[in-house]
Amino acid sequence: MNKIIISVLFVLLLSSCGKKDEKVENAILRANLALTRGQCQEAISILELEGRQNHNDSYLKTLASAYACKSGYSTTVLFGTDLAKISDVNLLFREFSTFTTSPNDAVDNVNFTNLQAALDIILYAGGLSLTLNPTSDLRLAAFGDKGKDINSFGFYLSMAQLGKFNYFYGNASALTGAKGGGGQGNPCYLDYNASVDAFLTSIGTTGTCAPGSNSGHTDLVAGADLVNLQNACHGIILFNNFIDTLDSFINSATSDEFSDFKLLGTAIELLKAAILVAKPTFDTRLFDTTSQARCENLFAGNDEDIMYFYAGIFETLHR
Protein backbone atom coordinates (compact mmCIF):
# COMPACT_ATOMS: atom_id res chain seq x y z
CA MET A 1 0.00 0.00 0.00
CA ASN A 2 2.80 2.43 0.92
CA LYS A 3 4.52 1.72 -2.40
CA ILE A 4 1.32 2.60 -4.27
CA ILE A 5 0.98 5.90 -2.40
CA ILE A 6 4.62 6.79 -3.04
CA SER A 7 4.23 5.98 -6.74
CA VAL A 8 1.11 8.17 -7.01
CA LEU A 9 2.86 11.06 -5.25
CA PHE A 10 5.88 10.72 -7.55
CA VAL A 11 3.66 10.86 -10.65
CA LEU A 12 1.86 13.93 -9.25
CA LEU A 13 5.22 15.61 -8.55
CA LEU A 14 6.41 14.98 -12.09
CA SER A 15 3.15 16.31 -13.45
CA SER A 16 3.46 19.44 -11.29
CA CYS A 17 7.04 20.06 -12.46
CA GLY A 18 5.99 19.61 -16.06
CA LYS A 19 3.21 22.15 -15.71
CA LYS A 20 5.60 24.63 -14.07
CA ASP A 21 8.14 24.22 -16.88
CA GLU A 22 5.39 24.65 -19.46
CA LYS A 23 4.20 27.81 -17.70
CA VAL A 24 7.71 29.27 -17.71
CA GLU A 25 8.24 28.42 -21.39
CA ASN A 26 4.91 30.04 -22.22
CA ALA A 27 5.99 33.17 -20.30
CA ILE A 28 9.25 33.28 -22.26
CA LEU A 29 7.31 33.07 -25.54
CA ARG A 30 4.88 35.81 -24.48
CA ALA A 31 7.75 38.02 -23.30
CA ASN A 32 9.59 37.64 -26.60
CA LEU A 33 6.42 38.59 -28.48
CA ALA A 34 6.12 41.68 -26.26
CA LEU A 35 9.74 42.59 -27.05
CA THR A 36 9.06 42.40 -30.79
CA ARG A 37 6.38 45.05 -30.18
CA GLY A 38 8.79 47.17 -28.14
CA GLN A 39 6.84 46.52 -24.93
CA CYS A 40 9.86 46.24 -22.64
CA GLN A 41 8.09 46.59 -19.28
CA GLU A 42 5.38 44.16 -20.34
CA ALA A 43 8.06 41.57 -21.08
CA ILE A 44 9.70 42.20 -17.69
CA SER A 45 6.39 41.86 -15.85
CA ILE A 46 5.53 38.59 -17.60
CA LEU A 47 8.85 37.01 -16.69
CA GLU A 48 9.27 38.38 -13.17
CA LEU A 49 5.81 37.00 -12.32
CA GLU A 50 7.26 33.51 -12.72
CA GLY A 51 10.07 34.21 -10.23
CA ARG A 52 13.72 34.22 -11.23
CA GLN A 53 14.63 31.05 -13.13
CA ASN A 54 18.36 31.20 -12.48
CA HIS A 55 19.16 27.98 -14.33
CA ASN A 56 17.02 28.54 -17.43
CA ASP A 57 19.21 30.16 -20.06
CA SER A 58 16.30 31.16 -22.33
CA TYR A 59 14.50 32.82 -19.44
CA LEU A 60 17.60 34.71 -18.30
CA LYS A 61 18.55 35.93 -21.79
CA THR A 62 14.99 37.10 -22.43
CA LEU A 63 14.72 38.86 -19.07
CA ALA A 64 18.08 40.56 -19.60
CA SER A 65 16.95 41.57 -23.09
CA ALA A 66 13.81 43.11 -21.60
CA TYR A 67 15.74 45.23 -19.09
CA ALA A 68 18.24 46.17 -21.81
CA CYS A 69 15.33 47.14 -24.05
CA LYS A 70 13.96 49.35 -21.27
CA SER A 71 17.37 51.08 -21.10
CA GLY A 72 17.30 51.88 -24.81
CA TYR A 73 19.89 49.25 -25.75
CA SER A 74 19.66 47.37 -29.06
CA THR A 75 22.08 44.69 -30.25
CA THR A 76 21.08 45.61 -33.81
CA VAL A 77 22.24 49.19 -33.24
CA LEU A 78 25.40 47.99 -31.48
CA PHE A 79 26.43 45.95 -34.51
CA GLY A 80 24.94 48.18 -37.19
CA THR A 81 26.14 51.56 -35.89
CA ASP A 82 28.33 51.58 -32.80
CA LEU A 83 31.01 48.93 -33.28
CA ALA A 84 32.16 50.70 -36.44
CA LYS A 85 33.18 53.64 -34.21
CA ILE A 86 35.96 51.56 -32.65
CA SER A 87 39.17 52.12 -34.59
CA ASP A 88 41.87 52.37 -31.91
CA VAL A 89 41.84 50.11 -28.86
CA ASN A 90 44.24 52.50 -27.14
CA LEU A 91 41.38 55.04 -27.11
CA LEU A 92 38.71 52.47 -26.36
CA PHE A 93 36.86 54.38 -23.63
CA ARG A 94 36.74 57.50 -25.76
CA GLU A 95 35.12 55.48 -28.53
CA PHE A 96 32.75 53.69 -26.15
CA SER A 97 31.59 57.16 -25.06
CA THR A 98 30.34 57.83 -28.60
CA PHE A 99 28.00 54.80 -28.65
CA THR A 100 24.35 55.56 -29.29
CA THR A 101 23.41 54.39 -25.79
CA SER A 102 26.24 56.19 -23.94
CA PRO A 103 24.69 59.59 -23.02
CA ASN A 104 24.18 59.53 -19.25
CA ASP A 105 23.55 62.38 -16.84
CA ALA A 106 23.40 60.80 -13.37
CA VAL A 107 24.50 57.92 -11.17
CA ASP A 108 20.86 56.88 -10.89
CA ASN A 109 19.85 57.62 -14.48
CA VAL A 110 17.03 55.16 -15.21
CA ASN A 111 18.65 53.86 -18.41
CA PHE A 112 21.94 53.38 -16.57
CA THR A 113 20.29 51.36 -13.79
CA ASN A 114 18.15 49.30 -16.19
CA LEU A 115 21.16 48.37 -18.31
CA GLN A 116 23.04 47.38 -15.15
CA ALA A 117 20.07 45.20 -14.15
CA ALA A 118 20.29 43.48 -17.54
CA LEU A 119 24.04 42.96 -17.18
CA ASP A 120 23.74 41.59 -13.64
CA ILE A 121 21.17 39.00 -14.78
CA ILE A 122 23.72 37.75 -17.30
CA LEU A 123 26.80 37.98 -15.07
CA TYR A 124 25.23 36.03 -12.21
CA ALA A 125 23.38 33.55 -14.44
CA GLY A 126 23.30 30.10 -12.89
CA GLY A 127 22.57 31.44 -9.43
CA LEU A 128 26.14 32.62 -8.83
CA SER A 129 26.66 34.32 -5.46
CA LEU A 130 26.73 38.11 -5.46
CA THR A 131 29.67 38.00 -3.03
CA LEU A 132 31.87 35.87 -5.30
CA ASN A 133 33.45 36.86 -8.60
CA PRO A 134 31.20 35.92 -11.53
CA THR A 135 33.26 34.68 -14.48
CA SER A 136 32.69 33.36 -17.99
CA ASP A 137 34.18 30.01 -16.92
CA LEU A 138 31.63 29.64 -14.12
CA ARG A 139 28.77 30.39 -16.50
CA LEU A 140 30.13 27.84 -18.98
CA ALA A 141 30.32 25.31 -16.17
CA ALA A 142 26.70 26.03 -15.24
CA PHE A 143 25.23 26.01 -18.76
CA GLY A 144 27.66 24.12 -20.99
CA ASP A 145 27.66 25.26 -24.61
CA LYS A 146 24.60 27.45 -23.91
CA GLY A 147 26.87 29.49 -21.68
CA LYS A 148 28.67 30.78 -24.79
CA ASP A 149 25.59 32.75 -25.84
CA ILE A 150 25.18 34.06 -22.31
CA ASN A 151 28.79 35.21 -22.22
CA SER A 152 28.52 36.83 -25.64
CA PHE A 153 25.48 38.80 -24.52
CA GLY A 154 27.41 39.81 -21.41
CA PHE A 155 30.19 41.11 -23.66
CA TYR A 156 27.77 43.25 -25.66
CA LEU A 157 26.08 44.65 -22.56
CA SER A 158 29.44 45.31 -20.89
CA MET A 159 30.54 47.49 -23.80
CA ALA A 160 27.31 49.49 -23.70
CA GLN A 161 27.39 49.96 -19.92
CA LEU A 162 31.06 50.93 -19.92
CA GLY A 163 30.16 53.52 -22.52
CA LYS A 164 27.59 55.02 -20.15
CA PHE A 165 30.10 54.94 -17.27
CA ASN A 166 32.83 56.57 -19.39
CA TYR A 167 30.48 59.21 -20.75
CA PHE A 168 29.28 60.29 -17.30
CA TYR A 169 32.29 59.92 -15.02
CA GLY A 170 34.80 60.82 -17.73
CA ASN A 171 32.82 63.98 -18.56
CA ALA A 172 32.96 63.00 -22.22
CA SER A 173 32.32 65.25 -25.17
CA ALA A 174 28.95 64.43 -26.69
CA LEU A 175 30.50 64.89 -30.11
CA THR A 176 33.89 63.18 -29.94
CA GLY A 177 33.78 61.21 -26.68
CA ALA A 178 36.98 62.94 -25.51
CA LYS A 179 37.44 62.95 -21.74
CA GLY A 180 36.84 66.31 -20.06
CA GLY A 181 34.96 67.66 -23.06
CA GLY A 182 31.51 67.59 -21.50
CA GLY A 183 29.73 70.10 -19.31
CA GLN A 184 30.54 68.74 -15.86
CA GLY A 185 33.95 70.37 -15.47
CA ASN A 186 36.15 67.44 -14.44
CA PRO A 187 39.18 66.62 -16.65
CA CYS A 188 39.94 63.43 -14.64
CA TYR A 189 37.96 60.53 -13.20
CA LEU A 190 39.50 60.91 -9.71
CA ASP A 191 41.57 63.25 -7.60
CA TYR A 192 45.01 61.70 -7.14
CA ASN A 193 47.57 61.86 -4.35
CA ALA A 194 51.23 62.78 -4.90
CA SER A 195 52.34 59.20 -5.58
CA VAL A 196 49.70 58.63 -8.23
CA ASP A 197 50.36 62.08 -9.72
CA ALA A 198 53.95 60.96 -10.24
CA PHE A 199 52.63 57.83 -11.94
CA LEU A 200 50.42 59.93 -14.21
CA THR A 201 53.48 61.98 -15.16
CA SER A 202 55.41 58.82 -16.03
CA ILE A 203 52.56 57.55 -18.23
CA GLY A 204 52.29 60.79 -20.16
CA THR A 205 49.21 59.74 -22.16
CA THR A 206 46.25 60.73 -20.03
CA GLY A 207 44.66 63.43 -22.15
CA THR A 208 43.09 66.32 -20.25
CA CYS A 209 43.93 64.77 -16.87
CA ALA A 210 47.05 66.65 -15.83
CA PRO A 211 48.97 65.46 -12.74
CA GLY A 212 48.10 67.59 -9.72
CA SER A 213 44.86 68.93 -11.18
CA ASN A 214 42.83 67.38 -8.34
CA SER A 215 39.67 67.66 -10.37
CA GLY A 216 37.92 64.32 -10.52
CA HIS A 217 34.23 63.63 -10.91
CA THR A 218 32.27 64.70 -7.83
CA ASP A 219 30.50 61.32 -7.67
CA LEU A 220 33.80 59.43 -7.65
CA VAL A 221 35.65 61.65 -5.15
CA ALA A 222 34.80 61.41 -1.45
CA GLY A 223 37.32 63.95 -0.11
CA ALA A 224 41.05 64.70 -0.13
CA ASP A 225 42.84 61.53 -1.30
CA LEU A 226 39.60 59.57 -0.90
CA VAL A 227 37.38 57.80 -3.43
CA ASN A 228 33.67 57.04 -3.43
CA LEU A 229 34.09 53.29 -2.96
CA GLN A 230 30.72 52.19 -4.35
CA ASN A 231 30.94 54.20 -7.55
CA ALA A 232 34.66 53.54 -8.07
CA CYS A 233 34.09 49.80 -7.63
CA HIS A 234 31.34 49.97 -10.21
CA GLY A 235 33.86 51.12 -12.81
CA ILE A 236 36.39 48.50 -11.76
CA ILE A 237 33.96 45.59 -12.04
CA LEU A 238 32.54 46.88 -15.32
CA PHE A 239 36.02 46.91 -16.80
CA ASN A 240 37.01 43.52 -15.38
CA ASN A 241 33.78 41.87 -16.56
CA PHE A 242 34.29 43.40 -19.99
CA ILE A 243 37.78 41.90 -20.20
CA ASP A 244 36.56 38.53 -18.91
CA THR A 245 33.66 38.31 -21.38
CA LEU A 246 35.88 39.64 -24.18
CA ASP A 247 38.38 36.84 -23.65
CA SER A 248 35.57 34.26 -23.67
CA PHE A 249 34.00 35.82 -26.76
CA ILE A 250 37.26 35.93 -28.72
CA ASN A 251 38.01 32.31 -27.82
CA SER A 252 34.64 31.16 -29.14
CA ALA A 253 34.31 33.56 -32.10
CA THR A 254 34.08 31.97 -35.54
CA SER A 255 34.90 35.14 -37.49
CA ASP A 256 37.56 37.84 -37.30
CA GLU A 257 35.00 40.63 -36.88
CA PHE A 258 36.43 41.42 -33.45
CA SER A 259 40.06 40.78 -34.33
CA ASP A 260 41.03 44.34 -33.36
CA PHE A 261 40.05 43.55 -29.79
CA LYS A 262 42.81 40.97 -29.63
CA LEU A 263 45.25 43.87 -29.55
CA LEU A 264 43.54 45.19 -26.44
CA GLY A 265 44.86 42.32 -24.34
CA THR A 266 48.45 43.34 -25.02
CA ALA A 267 47.71 47.00 -24.26
CA ILE A 268 46.03 46.12 -20.96
CA GLU A 269 48.89 43.89 -19.86
CA LEU A 270 51.33 46.73 -20.49
CA LEU A 271 49.21 49.11 -18.41
CA LYS A 272 49.01 46.58 -15.57
CA ALA A 273 52.77 46.11 -15.69
CA ALA A 274 53.27 49.88 -15.49
CA ILE A 275 51.10 50.02 -12.38
CA LEU A 276 53.12 47.26 -10.71
CA VAL A 277 56.39 48.99 -11.55
CA ALA A 278 55.11 52.21 -9.99
CA LYS A 279 53.77 50.40 -6.93
CA PRO A 280 55.12 46.85 -6.41
CA THR A 281 52.80 46.32 -3.41
CA PHE A 282 49.69 47.08 -5.48
CA ASP A 283 46.85 44.67 -4.63
CA THR A 284 46.58 42.68 -7.87
CA ARG A 285 43.14 41.36 -6.88
CA LEU A 286 41.87 44.65 -8.32
CA PHE A 287 42.67 43.24 -11.77
CA ASP A 288 40.24 40.33 -11.54
CA THR A 289 37.50 41.39 -9.12
CA THR A 290 34.17 41.17 -10.95
CA SER A 291 31.73 41.33 -8.04
CA GLN A 292 30.53 44.70 -6.77
CA ALA A 293 30.02 43.39 -3.23
CA ARG A 294 33.44 41.72 -3.19
CA CYS A 295 35.12 44.88 -4.50
CA GLU A 296 33.58 47.02 -1.77
CA ASN A 297 34.54 44.46 0.88
CA LEU A 298 38.13 43.88 -0.27
CA PHE A 299 39.19 47.42 -1.04
CA ALA A 300 37.47 49.55 1.57
CA GLY A 301 40.18 51.90 2.85
CA ASN A 302 42.58 51.10 0.00
CA ASP A 303 41.95 54.35 -1.85
CA GLU A 304 45.47 54.62 -3.24
CA ASP A 305 45.38 51.33 -5.14
CA ILE A 306 42.01 52.28 -6.62
CA MET A 307 43.61 55.55 -7.72
CA TYR A 308 46.43 53.63 -9.41
CA PHE A 309 43.87 51.45 -11.18
CA TYR A 310 41.95 54.46 -12.50
CA ALA A 311 45.13 56.30 -13.46
CA GLY A 312 46.53 53.31 -15.33
CA ILE A 313 43.34 52.10 -16.99
CA PHE A 314 40.64 54.76 -17.18
CA GLU A 315 42.76 57.89 -17.63
CA THR A 316 44.83 56.13 -20.29
CA LEU A 317 42.10 54.49 -22.36
CA HIS A 318 39.95 57.63 -22.20
CA ARG A 319 41.64 60.71 -23.55
Side-chain angles (χ1 to χ4, degrees), residues 1-13:
M1 184 66 177
N2 287 338
K3 289 182 178 179
I4 294 174
I5 293 173
I6 291 172
S7 297
V8 170
L9 290 174
F10 182 68
V11 170
L12 289 174
L13 178 62

Side-chain angles (χ1 to χ4, degrees), residues 92-93 96-97 99 102 112 115-116 119 156-168 189 234-243 314 318:
L92 189 64
F93 288 174
F96 278 175
S97 297
F99 279 14
S102 292
F112 193 37
L115 191 56
Q116 187 61 46
L119 181 56
Y156 306 153
L157 295 178
S158 290
M159 284 192 286
Q161 188 70 334
L162 257 177
K164 286 183 174 297
F165 188 94
N166 298 144
Y167 185 97
F168 179 61
Y189 280 85
H234 190 196
I236 290 167
I237 65 111
L238 280 177
F239 175 76
N240 288 338
N241 276 300
F242 163 68
I243 293 299
F314 281 84
H318 196 181

Side-chain angles (χ1 to χ4, degrees), residues 7-261:
S7 297
V8 170
L9 290 174
F10 182 68
V11 170
L12 289 174
L13 178 62
L14 288 178
S15 174
S16 173
C17 290
K19 289 179 180 178
K20 174 63 176 175
D21 290 343
E22 183 178 334
K23 192 167 180 285
V24 171
E25 292 306 311
N26 181 261
I28 295 170
L29 176 61
R30 289 164 53 219
N32 276 305
L33 289 173
L35 287 175
T36 63
R37 298 189 296 267
Q39 297 172 334
C40 313
Q41 183 55 54
E42 176 69 13
I44 292 170
S45 298
I46 290 170
L47 293 170
E48 294 285 23
L49 189 63
E50 300 304 317
R52 289 292 176 95
Q53 308 294 312
N54 290 320
H55 300 280
N56 184 322
D57 65 300
S58 295
Y59 172 94
L60 293 171
K61 286 186 292 185
T62 306
L63 182 59
S65 295
Y67 276 103
C69 167
K70 193 174 180 181
S71 77
Y73 168 87
S74 165
T75 299
T76 301
V77 173
L78 177 71
F79 276 83
T81 302
D82 291 332
L83 288 179
K85 298 173 181 177
I86 299 175
S87 59
D88 185 351
V89 293
N90 293 301
L91 297 174
L92 189 64
F93 288 174
R94 175 175 180 163
E95 293 170 343
F96 278 175
S97 297
T98 67
F99 279 14
T100 308
T101 51
S102 292
N104 181 21
D105 60 5
V107 175
D108 58 356
N109 176 284
V110 65
N111 291 337
F112 193 37
T113 55
N114 279 322
L115 191 56
Q116 187 61 46
L119 181 56
D120 285 342
I121 290 166
I122 293 299
L123 294 180
Y124 294 95
L128 301 179
S129 171
L130 296 178
T131 60
L132 299 177
N133 287 328
T135 66
S136 294
D137 285 345
L138 288 175
R139 290 185 291 273
L140 286 172
F143 293 98
D145 282 345
K146 293 178 180 179
K148 293 179 181 178
D149 286 341
I150 292 175
N151 287 335
S152 293
F153 196 20
F155 172 53
Y156 306 153
L157 295 178
S158 290
M159 284 192 286
Q161 188 70 334
L162 257 177
K164 286 183 174 297
F165 188 94
N166 298 144
Y167 185 97
F168 179 61
Y169 291 107
N171 185 27
S173 163
L175 181 62
T176 67
K179 180 178 61 186
Q184 300 185 78
N186 58 293
C188 304
Y189 280 85
L190 292 175
D191 290 356
Y192 298 103
N193 64 21
S195 296
V196 184
D197 277 337
F199 176 53
L200 286 169
T201 300
S202 70
I203 297 173
T205 54
T206 55
T208 59
C209 185
S213 64
N214 286 326
S215 187
H217 195 284
T218 54
D219 288 313
L220 281 178
V221 176
D225 295 342
L226 296 173
V227 304
N228 180 309
L229 182 63
Q230 180 179 4
N231 294 340
C233 274
H234 190 196
I236 290 167
I237 65 111
L238 280 177
F239 175 76
N240 288 338
N241 276 300
F242 163 68
I243 293 299
D244 174 67
T245 54
L246 167 63
D247 289 342
S248 176
F249 182 84
I250 292 297
N251 290 337
S252 63
T254 56
S255 71
D256 60 357
E257 187 172 6
F258 289 84
S259 58
D260 287 347
F261 279 97

